[in-house]
Amino acid sequence: MRVPVSWLAEFAQLPKGITPAQLHADLVKVGLEEEALHVPEISGPIVVGRVLEFVDEPQSNGKTIRWCQVDVGGETRGIVCGAHNFEVGDKVVVTLPGSVLPGPFPIAARSTYGHVSDGMIASERELGLGDEHSGILRLAELGLDPEVGTDALELLGLNDWAVEVNVTPDRGYELSIRGIAREYSHSTGAKFTDPATLPPSASGSPKAGRPEPTKDKSNPVPVKLLDESPIRGRQGCNSFVTRVVRGIDPTRPTPPWMASRLRLAGIRSISLAVDISNYVMIEMGQPLHAYDLDLIKGGITVRRASNGERITTLDDQDRELDPEDLLICDDAGPIGIAGVMGGARTENSSATRNVLVEAANFDPISIARSARRHRLPSEASRRFERGVDPEVAIPAAERAVQLLVELAGGTADSNVWQVGEPVATEEIELPAGFVNSVIGTEFTEDEVMSTLRALGARVEPSTNLGSGLVVEPPSWRPDLRDKADLAEEVVRIRGYDLIPAVLPTAPPGRGFTREQRLRKSAAQLLAASGAVEVLAYPFLSREQLDLFEPGVEACELLNPLDWSSRYLRTSLLPGLIEIARRNLSRGLVDLKLFELGSVYLPATGGKPLAISLPAGNSKPSDAELAELESAIPNQPLRIAGLFLGDSILRQPGQKQVHAGIADAFEAVGQVVRAVGATAEFEAGSRDGLHPGRTAIVLVGGEEVGFTGELLPSLAAEQDLGPRVSVFELDLAKLIAIAPAEVVALPIGTLPAATQDLSLVVPVEVPAARVLQAVREGAGELLEDIRLVDDYRGEGLPSGTKSLTFALRFRAFDRTLTATEATAAKMAGVASAEKLGAQLRE
């Protein structure tokens, strides 16, 4: 939120000569965050001048310049000007030598076109007032007739500065000069004047303050609120206020002081009617919309969109509407997406003479979803989705009408039309001593009451509690919902520095749980082997989900940050692929990545999640908690990795080694060993993986994941190169079936006996099953067994393969003889014969 200091000073009494640093510090005291400072990029001397005479001088390059004599207040300056849109007697803005224009662009007397130009006559763009650069700025076009020599910076509001603060999502009221001025008053005790308390209105009402809505039914544009599909039981529109101003002059310019303030607040000046609605929104926090009254067909209806309905918005984009979108419609169809953007059909133009001003109060959830769905973040939606004061609609509409009358020459209808009623805030019981009990302070009851009243709350003694208070929060604070919120507000306003600093006694540690320890060990092993841990976004598109699990049921977010990525992941691999693509595009071609995180599996059979929190501030019942728990997705912990490029880089005496499926197998083995288990691999298949280079990972006979190479076509489609290896393991399941305790075997000190074993087995028998059979048959003397060769070719019967294993035998109490080792080996062969294995001759 950008806050022009001159605007702030209208509603909060600022000390003379306040500095940006001091203003920022005062706002930070009440919880606002300092963001930036916006100071003028322009400096004087810049004055009002009058053109006394000029001579047109054609140049050899085909251009005609004007050699002007300009009165700048007591002296005449000769200035060369390339523009031709002015006449003798016009008052203009003259930048004298020594001034600096935005850019920066310093001005000095310089020789040009055969003259010494002693300054420059400036255009709107050169002054930073707008984009117009076809000619110089003539002050008469702005309705100004100042004295010659007047300081143009002050006249045009170019000497103002602004501070920028970050507003947290729960305090939408701070997205206004009204809200910031109130916060400054809380911080410093300065006098605050609420702009919602208006002087006598433009409609001629002698009564100051909020005008009363008209009670009769003669509204020229009748309004209906028809929300038949409220979200979470909340009506999309609670209150809809309209005012009518007739006979405005659309050619009148926006006054410089208003354009300057809007520019400092980060809003571009467009036209007078639009600028007035933006000005009131920034000032009072109430988004407004101005319709061309003559283009509205019949009355206005606020309703949800129908299937297939479309609208062309003010940015000239044709948009398909969603049935959740809340619309403003006339008898001919939609004329705006409520709280987000108006429609082009009723847009103000140079032909607009009569204006309908809308000031409504919309449901924050509806507006937030529509803005994200259509990717239309706007200043209006930014305020509505945080909550707008429902009581400020009528004063804001009155303020807009007042400015349209004063600046655009219109005439206001005396009626104030309101349909619906603002939602009232609910009372909160605040027990005596509660604030001190949770904050650790010693505030008196009078201090608590005075602080809450300063916030704008109504505070009365409680009759239900016997002691304590009943607090009705102000209408602009929808974030105050329970007693804890009130306690936070008391200490925020009184000062966080009053909270005593007490060092808590740390409880005795119990160390990591088994699951935490094993999870940490798995990640540390992969990192120690050179892999880099990454964190991917858990939100995926439908296309990303279908890479490895086509058509998989996934949890769909109702209010996603990005509508195209609205599904929660069911696999870690799509996120790793996206990270690999990003790194490859930045020149990092050798990657060894892994992620440890949760996936989200629907607990509702693929149906949309319907999780509704119980109403009120009481603790949910056991049944309600159980219902909520049953709707939460299952979130198992997984670990996945991706390998591409070179696993060993080329260097003197070392050839490069390409990363491949062996790296994925080794990573899987590291993870499984980290939890104290042993991995087995069986040939398998998986969508997205090479059918001949995919393995299912088994532990204790149960499937815990898979590993393999991406399909070459998929790798090429994702711009990842020809060979990419991946793995994904269900770490939660792996930890659950792993041994509860890892038994460390003693280190053998006696000599080992080594032998090789070659078995001929049918091609379809997995090597892992043969290895396991040999291990079981050989017994406890077998210390280690490894597959060292898989031969398929000449010399073997058709449909068979030869598997060669390296065996290591050892006894802990004696030196094994060759006979004992051979006997153990043959026992393993006998066990493998059950799988059709035969000893290779």
Side-chain angles (χ1 to χ4, degrees):
M1 172 69 187
R2 294 186 180 185
V3 186
V5 68
S6 65
W7 205 348
L8 180 65
E10 290 187 6
F11 310 117
Q13 190 172 1
L14 304 181
K16 186 176 181 179
I18 188 171
T19 64
Q22 181 182 347
L23 180 54
H24 259 146
D26 290 336
L27 294 176
V28 167
K29 283 172 57 179
V30 285
L32 291 161
E33 299 176 10
E34 178 180 345
E35 284 287 319
L37 174 64
H38 301 274
V39 297
E41 297 180 350
I42 186 171
S43 60
I46 300 177
V47 299
V48 174
R50 178 188 288 113
V51 179
L52 300 178
E53 62 178 3
F54 60 82
V55 177
D56 288 332
E57 298 183 356
Q59 304 297 310
S60 59
N61 59 5
K63 182 178 180 179
T64 298
I65 61 98
R66 283 183 173 180
W67 172 239
C68 309
Q69 300 300 313
V70 183
D71 179 7
V72 295
E75 60 176 324
T76 300
R77 301 285 183 112
I79 299 175
V80 174
C81 184
H84 302 84
N85 67 322
F86 60 94
E87 301 295 338
V88 171
D90 281 346
K91 291 183 178 179
V92 295
V93 177
V94 180
T95 59
L96 299 176
S99 60
V100 178
L101 294 179
F105 180 51
I107 303 298
R110 62 189 183 96
S111 180
T112 180
Y113 294 108
H115 303 281
V116 175
S117 184
D118 200 15
M120 186 179 79
I121 306 176
S123 68
E124 282 189 22
R125 191 169 73 182
E126 289 164 339
L127 293 170
L129 286 174
D131 297 327
E132 180 60 43
H133 193 56
S134 60
I136 62 153
L137 174 63
R138 299 169 58 239
L139 294 176
E141 294 176 346
L142 301 179
L144 300 176
D145 186 22
E147 293 291 328
V148 173
T150 299
D151 183 350
L153 294 179
E154 184 174 352
L155 175 71
L156 300 176
L158 296 174
N159 57 352
D160 201 0
W161 51 270
V163 294
E164 184 172 355
V165 292
N166 181 39
V167 175
T168 54
D170 59 329
R171 293 183 186 158
Y173 69 97
E174 292 176 346
L175 290 173
S176 66
I177 303 298
R178 178 194 185 207
I180 297 296
R182 190 187 301 276
E183 291 298 298
Y184 180 81
S185 174
H186 293 329
S187 174
T188 65
K191 181 182 177 182
F192 167 68
T193 302
D194 191 345
T197 304
L198 297 174
S201 68
S203 61
S205 170
K207 180 182 178 182
R210 169 184 169 133
E212 291 299 321
T214 303
K215 299 298 184 183
D216 61 50
K217 299 182 180 180
S218 58
N219 190 343
V221 184
V223 176
K224 296 180 181 178
L225 306 182
L226 299 177
D227 185 0
E228 297 179 353
S229 303
I231 298 177
R232 295 186 182 179
R234 298 161 61 107
Q235 292 295 318
C237 180
N238 300 307
S239 171
F240 199 96
V241 174
T242 55
R243 295 291 305 272
V244 174
V245 181
R246 304 180 189 273
I248 69 167
D249 182 357
T251 64
R252 289 197 181 184
T254 300
W257 59 267
M258 179 178 286
S260 176
R261 285 184 172 179
L262 289 174
R263 175 180 53 81
L264 269 178
I267 295 180
R268 181 171 58 92
S269 177
I270 299 174
S271 66
L272 181 55
V274 174
D275 289 350
I276 286 174
S277 65
N278 285 334
Y279 186 86
V280 175
M281 175 183 68
I282 298 296
E283 183 173 90
M284 304 183 73
Q286 170 67 57
L288 304 174
H289 190 73
Y291 302 91
D292 187 324
L293 178 63
D294 299 324
L295 298 179
I296 296 177
K297 309 298 183 184
I300 284 179
T301 302
V302 183
R303 61 170 174 82
R304 300 286 175 179
S306 303
N307 284 320
E309 204 164 11
R310 307 186 72 89
I311 185 176
T312 300
T313 45
L314 289 173
D315 55 359
D316 292 325
Q317 297 295 313
D318 179 61
R319 302 180 184 277
E320 182 178 356
L321 298 169
D322 186 274
E324 265 197 1
D325 289 331
L326 190 68
L327 303 181
I328 312 299
C329 306
D330 64 5
D331 292 353
I335 58 175
I337 304 176
V340 179
M341 184 173 285
R345 181 161 59 84
T346 55
E347 179 181 8
N348 283 268
S349 68
S350 58
T352 299
R353 294 294 181 273
N354 304 313
V355 173
L356 177 75
V357 177
E358 165 212 305
N361 189 263
F362 299 116
D363 173 49
I365 296 176
S366 292
I367 304 309
R369 289 184 179 176
S370 290
R372 288 178 174 82
R373 183 180 300 115
H374 296 287
R375 298 183 181 180
L376 268 179
S378 63
E379 291 293 332
S381 66
R382 186 179 173 213
R383 286 162 174 79
F384 277 125
E385 64 189 27
R386 286 165 170 79
V388 171
D389 181 359
E391 298 290 348
V392 82
I394 290 180
E398 180 75 3
R399 174 68 165 145
V401 167
Q402 185 181 27
L403 292 171
L404 284 168
V405 170
E406 293 177 0
L407 303 178
T411 301
D413 285 6
S414 59
N415 293 324
V416 179
W417 307 101
Q418 180 180 23
V419 177
E421 290 292 334
V423 177
T425 56
E426 295 184 2
E427 293 182 343
I428 302 172
E429 296 276 1
L430 182 63
F434 177 78
V435 173
N436 291 332
S437 68
V438 296
I439 304 298
T441 50
E442 296 182 358
F443 297 134
T444 65
E445 185 171 314
D446 288 342
E447 288 175 327
V448 172
M449 291 180 65
S450 63
T451 303
L452 293 175
R453 284 172 176 159
L455 287 172
R458 181 182 63 82
V459 184
E460 302 291 343
S462 173
T463 57
N464 295 331
L465 297 176
S467 61
L469 305 171
V470 175
V471 182
E472 182 182 339
S475 58
W476 56 87
R477 294 301 303 272
D479 57 306
L480 301 182
R481 300 177 181 177
D482 55 38
K483 57 187 178 182
D485 294 334
L486 298 179
E488 181 184 355
E489 283 301 293
V490 170
V491 74
R492 183 177 72 89
I493 300 303
R494 306 273 330 164
Y496 291 119
D497 55 321
L498 298 179
I499 301 177
V502 179
L503 186 64
T505 302
R510 293 179 294 178
F512 291 123
T513 65
R514 173 177 177 269
E515 289 75 14
Q516 291 171 333
R517 188 179 67 257
L518 296 180
R519 199 164 62 221
K520 192 177 183 69
S521 296
Q524 286 179 334
L525 272 177
L526 289 179
S529 68
V532 176
E533 185 174 9
V534 296
L535 293 174
Y537 287 114
F539 312 117
L540 302 178
S541 65
R542 185 71 251 182
E543 293 74 18
Q544 288 176 301
L545 286 172
D546 290 341
L547 290 178
F548 300 100
E549 300 171 289
V552 65
E553 295 176 349
C555 299
E556 181 178 354
L557 300 178
L558 297 179
N559 190 24
L561 295 173
D562 181 355
W563 188 250
S564 64
S565 299
R566 60 184 184 276
Y567 298 96
L568 288 175
R569 65 187 180 189
T570 57
S571 169
L572 301 182
L573 291 183
L576 286 175
I577 287 176
E578 185 61 32
I579 290 174
R581 288 180 60 185
R582 187 178 300 113
N583 280 273
L584 282 173
S585 70
R586 287 158 173 77
L588 301 175
V589 297
D590 304 312
L591 299 175
K592 189 175 183 180
L593 309 175
F594 78 95
E595 180 179 11
L596 192 157
S598 296
V599 295
Y600 306 88
L601 309 179
T604 56
K607 299 178 181 178
L609 296 180
I611 301 177
S612 300
L613 295 178
N617 297 321
S618 59
K619 178 183 176 181
S621 66
D622 291 342
E624 289 172 328
L625 289 174
E627 183 181 359
L628 290 173
E629 185 71 28
S630 66
I632 295 175
N634 185 23
Q635 302 170 50
L637 188 68
R638 293 190 181 175
I639 189 167
L642 180 147
F643 309 88
L644 60 80
D646 292 338
S647 59
I648 299 178
L649 301 179
R650 185 177 63 181
Q651 51 191 307
Q654 172 66 58
K655 293 182 179 181
Q656 68 189 64
V657 177
H658 298 302
I661 194 170
D663 296 278
F665 271 79
E666 177 58 26
V668 169
Q670 287 177 327
V671 173
V672 175
R673 288 193 296 272
V675 302
T678 302
E680 301 173 8
F681 300 93
E682 286 188 359
S685 62
R686 187 84 180 189
D687 288 303
L689 299 187
H690 195 297
R693 297 179 181 175
T694 301
I696 303 301
V697 182
L698 303 173
V699 172
E702 294 191 43
E703 181 178 337
V704 295
F706 61 89
T707 183
E709 288 186 4
L710 292 187
L711 282 170
S713 58
L714 175 59
E717 179 185 310
Q718 299 296 323
D719 302 319
L720 295 180
R723 179 170 293 181
V724 181
S725 300
V726 297
F727 76 86
E728 183 166 9
L729 301 176
D730 188 334
L731 189 57
K733 183 177 182 181
L734 178 58
I735 291 174
I737 63 179
E741 294 183 357
V742 177
V743 179
L745 296 176
I747 299 176
T749 59
L750 296 173
T754 60
Q755 295 191 17
D756 289 336
L757 172 63
S758 294
L759 296 173
V760 177
V761 299
V763 170
E764 64 272 11
V765 177
R769 293 184 60 192
V770 178
L771 184 149
Q772 182 63 25
V774 173
R775 175 185 286 127
E776 292 175 354
E780 61 182 13
L781 293 180
L782 180 61
E783 183 179 69
D784 184 59
I785 177 172
R786 290 185 299 110
L787 177 68
V788 295
D789 188 40
D790 182 337
Y791 174 74
R792 309 180 190 200
E794 295 182 3
L796 294 177
S798 176
T800 64
K801 60 185 176 181
S802 175
L803 302 177
T804 301
F805 300 93
L807 310 179
R808 185 172 73 238
F809 298 94
R810 191 194 307 267
F812 292 97
D813 58 348
R814 67 189 186 281
T815 299
L816 284 180
T817 64
T819 302
E820 289 177 307
T822 301
K825 180 180 76 170
M826 296 310 296
V829 171
S831 177
E833 288 176 350
K834 299 175 183 178
L835 301 176
Q838 294 181 353
L839 192 63
R840 184 178 179 184
E841 299 297 334

